[in-house]
Amino acid sequence: MIRALSFCILLSSYTAAQLSLPDPPFLPPNASAGTVPSNSSARSPNAQWSTLLGDLLYFYDAQRSGDLPDTNRVDWRNDSALDDGDDVEIDLTGGYYDAGDYIKASFPLSFSLMSICWGALDFGRGYELANQTAYLDGMLRWGLDWLIKAHASDDTLYVLVGDADTDNAYWGGDENIPTPRLSYQVNASHPGTDAFAGASAAFSACSSLYANRTFGSTGPLSLHNSTYSKTLLSHATQLYDVAVHASGGQQVYQESVPEVADAYGSSSYEDELTIAALFLSWAKDDDSLFDEAEDYYDEFSLSDDLRGVFNWDSKAAGLPILFAQVSNATGHGDATYWQGQAENLLDGIIDNDNGATLTGGGLLYYDGDSDSCSLNPALNAAMLLTKYAPLTSDDQRQKYTEYSDKQLNYTLGDNPMSVPYVIGINPNAPQNPHSALASGGTDIGRIDDSPEKEAYILYGALVGGPDKSDKFFDVRRDWPQTEVALDYNAPLLTLAAYHVLTDEDDPFYVTLEEGAANAHRPKGAPCDAAIDDGCNLPGMSRRGIIAMAVCVGVTGLVVLALFATWFYLAWTR
Ligand SMILES: *[C@@H]1O[C@H](CO)[C@@H](O)[C@H](O)[C@H]1NC(C)=O
Ligand SMILES: *[C@@H]1O[C@H](CO)[C@@H](O)[C@H](O)[C@H]1NC(C)=O
Ligand SMILES: *[C@@H]1O[C@H](CO)[C@@H](O)[C@H](O)[C@H]1NC(C)=O
Ligand SMILES: *[C@@H]1O[C@H](CO)[C@@H](O)[C@H](O)[C@H]1NC(C)=O
Ligand SMILES: *[C@@H]1O[C@H](CO)[C@@H](O)[C@H](O)[C@H]1NC(C)=O
Ligand SMILES: *[C@@H]1O[C@H](CO)[C@@H](O)[C@H](O)[C@H]1NC(C)=O
Ligand SMILES: *[C@@H]1O[C@H](CO)[C@@H](O)[C@H](O)[C@H]1NC(C)=O
Ligand SMILES: *[C@@H]1O[C@H](CO)[C@@H](O)[C@H](O)[C@H]1NC(C)=O
Ligand SMILES: *[C@@H]1O[C@H](CO)[C@@H](O)[C@H](O)[C@H]1NC(C)=O
């Protein structure tokens, strides 16, 4: 009797752990719905932007690992990887598969969670207006609750489950994922300063969100939960502490866990340490942590790094924006100085003075970083511009939001291919995402045509994107162009929430003619790190580089090496 009762209590507290979900649930409409203009007399919020936001969140449901809840909306997904953590005798089930494969990686996950929570601190009311707050809550908790498990003791953080090599040799569904899946950790004697600090920043940013400690008054009102916020803050505090004080010193995490290097090796830890201090200062309303973050910024000369991309590996470009926001909101620090730093950075992006150029079609392109996921750096830049815009003068604001909208429009179909790069939102969207989950195939040698048509539509997934000449081939094996990933969707969520909040016009793709993408289909074949058929250089052997993780530092080096070889051959012919 008593057992039954406490079981009930447990069960009800478990089910109450989330906001109640809409009934009936939100499900992505089919692609043809993305051609129907929304009712012009009822456009606030705009139904198409609301649907896009819903689809983008739905992608994360499709990426879930572990024991799926009764409320699972993705009917073709199964419980999976239920033994994760067995090798180290803890429960590491749950969380998300990071991309088109089946590894679970804390470092890029932390970045995605930080980015999404930060975006909701700015424009969270967009989720509210679109009736998506409960799904945002579910999405965040599925990641954060796993990261809590991965933070197995004060100074232990699991950074990888599954092995990139084994995983890359597997192409198939979620019922036969190869085992054993090993679990790799960093700890006090074998630290990963970036991994500790990155996870701390995610916990702090999300703790602030659940505390309703938003920037401006646009946070998601119903997400407020001080219990959960406090839990997240305690993890943030412990992880920051071990990032600073680990007995093994400070170093990038692949020094301790070389197995992460292929997929998600990190180029430095100074940017994570700084953003962790800054987000923690915001979460705790602690001026001395803000000062600490400023000290790091100077000590590590991070203003020198402002010319690079903002992504899962490099956070420096986000710092002036966040410093300006926190300084503005708290009155602490020199808000004018930080605005100057932020505007230097953002003007540099707009003036092509920060290491990037525009493609012929108008996509912001960073050689190297953009080569294996062209949309991600551009969308992260657009996100920073949009975030910062409320803090500046009317003129600057207009300049920043217009530039951001151009990058967003490009992503949503205003490009030479007439392809909106989000799966399932329009008939012109890509049909062949590189996703072992969605493909339905089991033959790694025939990724492209077995089966002929991808088995499941991976609604809401942004793909890597076109090449530097704006060409997109929609080939499944071509991971630089068609892979999907947790961090790809993150900036787009923030931008979509902003547009739900502010934009009465439909997203660009609604105007695309059905068949437009077919009419603009490029000739030839890709020339990138996965497929070189289009490179037209004799003497090159075909390389079947399949499904390395995504757009990552070390893969980036492989790409550079390949290009170097091609150029060399081209010269010496
Ligand atoms: C707040 O979060 C806690 C911890 O996850 C959960 O137990 C509780 O049910 C939540 N409360 C509400 C009102 O959602
Ligand atoms: C898409 O949805 C519309 C409206 O619900 C329906 O009329 C149409 O048949 C659907 N198309 C496909 C291909 O399922
Ligand atoms: C469009 O919105 C107006 C105002 O809400 C409503 O009266 C009208 O019925 C809607 N039209 C359609 C076709 O849904
Ligand atoms: C949100 O839910 C309310 C109440 O059910 C409904 O009236 C409204 O149309 C929904 N908005 C969107 C964008 O789905
Ligand atoms: C989930 O299981 C069903 C039934 O066995 C199977 O048809 C489906 O392909 C599985 N899903 C994935 C993603 O493998
Ligand atoms: C600390 O992490 C290193 C690197 O992952 C690992 O080899 C070592 O066993 C860990 N230490 C403990 C006490 O688990
Ligand atoms: C959250 O903060 C906003 C102001 O930013 C306020 O309007 C709202 O009432 C707060 N919500 C809760 C649940 O505390
Ligand atoms: C914060 O930004 C707003 C909008 O630009 C401005 O009005 C306000 O003065 C700023 N506050 C501080 C402390 O800088
Ligand atoms: C983006 O596309 C929308 C919808 O077509 C359009 O109204 C807007 O002017 C475009 N913005 C820019 C900056 O091109």
Side-chain angles (χ1 to χ4, degrees):
M1 203 39 202
I2 291 172
R3 279 182 53 161
L5 189 66
S6 60
F7 177 68
C8 278
I9 293 170
L10 263 178
L11 199 68
S12 64
S13 73
Y14 176 75
T15 46
Q18 283 192 5
L19 293 177
S20 55
L21 295 163
D23 184 22
F26 171 86
L27 293 175
N30 70 30
S32 60
T35 61
V36 183
S38 49
N39 184 345
S40 58
S41 46
R43 281 193 165 179
S44 195
N46 177 294
Q48 287 285 1
W49 282 111
S50 300
T51 299
L52 177 60
L53 187 61
D55 279 20
L56 291 167
L57 278 173
Y58 181 89
F59 163 67
Y60 292 92
D61 279 24
Q63 293 292 114
R64 285 184 179 191
S65 179
D67 186 4
L68 302 180
D70 295 346
T71 50
N72 168 39
R73 292 181 291 166
V74 186
D75 58 12
W76 48 270
R77 281 300 323 280
N78 308 290
D79 294 348
S80 61
L82 297 177
D83 298 331
D84 280 1
D86 276 8
D87 61 324
V88 289
E89 295 178 346
I90 63 167
D91 173 15
L92 288 174
T93 62
Y96 293 103
Y97 297 123
D98 82 307
D101 51 7
Y102 292 103
I103 62 168
K104 299 195 297 197
S106 308
F107 189 56
L109 173 68
S110 297
F111 172 73
S112 300
L113 292 168
M114 179 194 82
S115 170
I116 294 168
C117 285
W118 185 9
L121 292 175
D122 296 313
F123 310 122
R125 259 193 71 74
Y127 292 92
E128 201 88 341
L129 292 173
N131 297 336
Q132 289 293 332
T133 311
Y135 295 118
L136 174 66
D137 183 40
M139 181 277 149
L140 293 174
R141 283 174 182 258
W142 199 262
L144 292 165
D145 288 350
W146 182 78
L147 211 50
I148 287 172
K149 290 182 186 177
H151 185 201
S153 73
D154 284 7
D155 55 13
T156 304
L157 178 69
Y158 281 89
V159 291
L160 180 69
V161 179
D163 175 322
D165 289 339
T166 322
D167 195 69
N168 282 332
Y170 173 68
W171 187 256
D174 59 11
E175 294 173 299
N176 303 303
I177 301 170
T179 53
R181 288 163 54 83
L182 299 183
S183 313
Y184 300 91
Q185 63 163 269
V186 291
N187 49 48
S189 58
H190 294 76
T193 312
D194 40 14
F196 289 137
S200 172
F203 281 125
S204 295
C206 297
S207 169
S208 303
L209 183 64
Y210 280 95
N212 199 28
R213 223 175 125 62
T214 58
F215 297 123
S217 55
T218 56
L221 312 177
S222 59
L223 204 62
H224 189 196
N225 182 323
S226 45
T227 312
Y228 198 50
S229 173
K230 282 189 191 127
T231 302
L232 300 178
L233 191 56
S234 76
H235 288 279
T237 307
Q238 283 172 4
L239 283 159
Y240 181 69
D241 191 59
V242 65
V244 176
H245 298 297
S247 58
Q250 297 189 325
Q251 60 182 12
V252 292
Y253 77 129
Q254 65 267 28
E255 298 280 344
S256 297
V257 183
E259 288 81 358
V260 298
D262 280 353
Y264 288 110
S266 158
S267 54
S268 64
Y269 60 79
E270 288 85 351
D271 48 343
E272 281 84 23
L273 204 51
T274 311
I275 208 161
L278 187 51
F279 261 125
L280 195 56
S281 86
W282 174 241
K284 290 191 152 166
D285 196 8
D286 181 331
D287 292 348
S288 65
L289 278 164
F290 183 96
D291 298 343
E292 206 160 305
E294 282 191 328
D295 291 345
Y296 287 139
Y297 188 82
D298 292 341
E299 180 190 335
F300 301 139
S301 305
L302 291 176
S303 58
D304 296 348
D305 285 347
L306 297 185
R307 299 160 77 83
V309 288
F310 181 69
N311 66 13
W312 64 269
D313 179 24
S314 305
K315 282 103 188 176
L319 286 168
I321 316 299
L322 185 61
F323 270 119
Q325 288 183 308
V326 175
S327 181
N328 179 277
T330 59
H332 190 69
D334 182 349
T336 313
Y337 170 77
W338 287 114
Q339 293 204 5
Q341 289 278 301
E343 296 192 22
N344 268 344
L345 165 77
L346 299 173
D347 290 339
I349 291 175
I350 289 179
D351 302 337
N352 287 336
D353 187 27
N354 74 336
T357 50
L358 289 183
T359 64
L363 179 67
L364 182 69
Y365 198 95
Y366 295 79
D367 283 325
D369 287 293
S370 299
D371 293 340
S372 50
C373 59
S374 62
L375 296 170
N376 183 254
L379 287 172
N380 274 321
M383 177 188 79
L384 294 178
L385 285 159
T386 302
K387 264 178 194 302
Y388 178 76
L391 290 182
T392 189
S393 66
D394 290 351
D395 283 356
Q396 288 286 83
R397 184 176 316 130
Q398 193 187 336
K399 192 169 85 177
Y400 292 167
T401 50
E402 191 178 314
Y403 193 91
S404 169
D405 285 350
K406 277 212 172 105
Q407 297 304 313
L408 181 59
N409 281 6
Y410 182 105
T411 303
L412 298 181
D414 190 6
N415 59 58
M417 300 283 105
S418 293
V419 171
Y421 289 107
V422 179
I423 307 293
I425 51 162
N426 179 278
N428 295 295
Q431 309 287 323
N432 290 297
H434 179 100
S435 161
L437 274 170
S439 118
T442 52
D443 182 349
I444 197 164
R446 294 186 52 201
I447 289 182
D448 293 344
D449 60 359
S450 167
E452 206 63 48
K453 186 170 183 291
E454 194 129 336
Y456 308 109
I457 301 175
L458 193 55
Y459 283 105
L462 179 78
V463 299
D467 66 16
K468 199 179 177 180
S469 48
D470 302 294
K471 287 189 179 152
F472 179 75
F473 291 88
D474 201 8
V475 172
R476 244 173 265 165
R477 168 175 55 112
D478 191 13
W479 61 262
Q481 298 207 347
T482 58
E483 191 157 4
V484 299
L486 302 179
D487 63 310
Y488 292 2
N489 268 43
L492 202 45
L493 272 173
T494 294
L495 291 167
Y498 168 80
H499 280 268
V500 170
L501 202 55
T502 58
D503 195 352
E504 301 204 342
D505 292 333
D506 287 333
F508 185 85
Y509 52 79
V510 176
T511 64
L512 285 173
E513 301 279 335
E514 201 148 346
N518 273 335
H520 293 113
R521 197 165 280 283
K523 294 193 173 48
C527 171
D528 59 35
I531 303 182
D532 66 5
D533 303 20
C535 300
N536 281 333
L537 286 175
M540 280 293 293
S541 65
R542 289 187 175 218
R543 302 199 38 144
I545 304 175
I546 297 168
M548 297 281 293
V550 219
C551 201
V552 292
V554 175
T555 308
L557 291 180
V558 175
V559 177
L560 284 181
L562 274 173
F563 274 108
T565 315
W566 288 322
F567 283 129
Y568 174 74
L569 288 171
W571 273 136
T572 52
R573 264 172 71 202

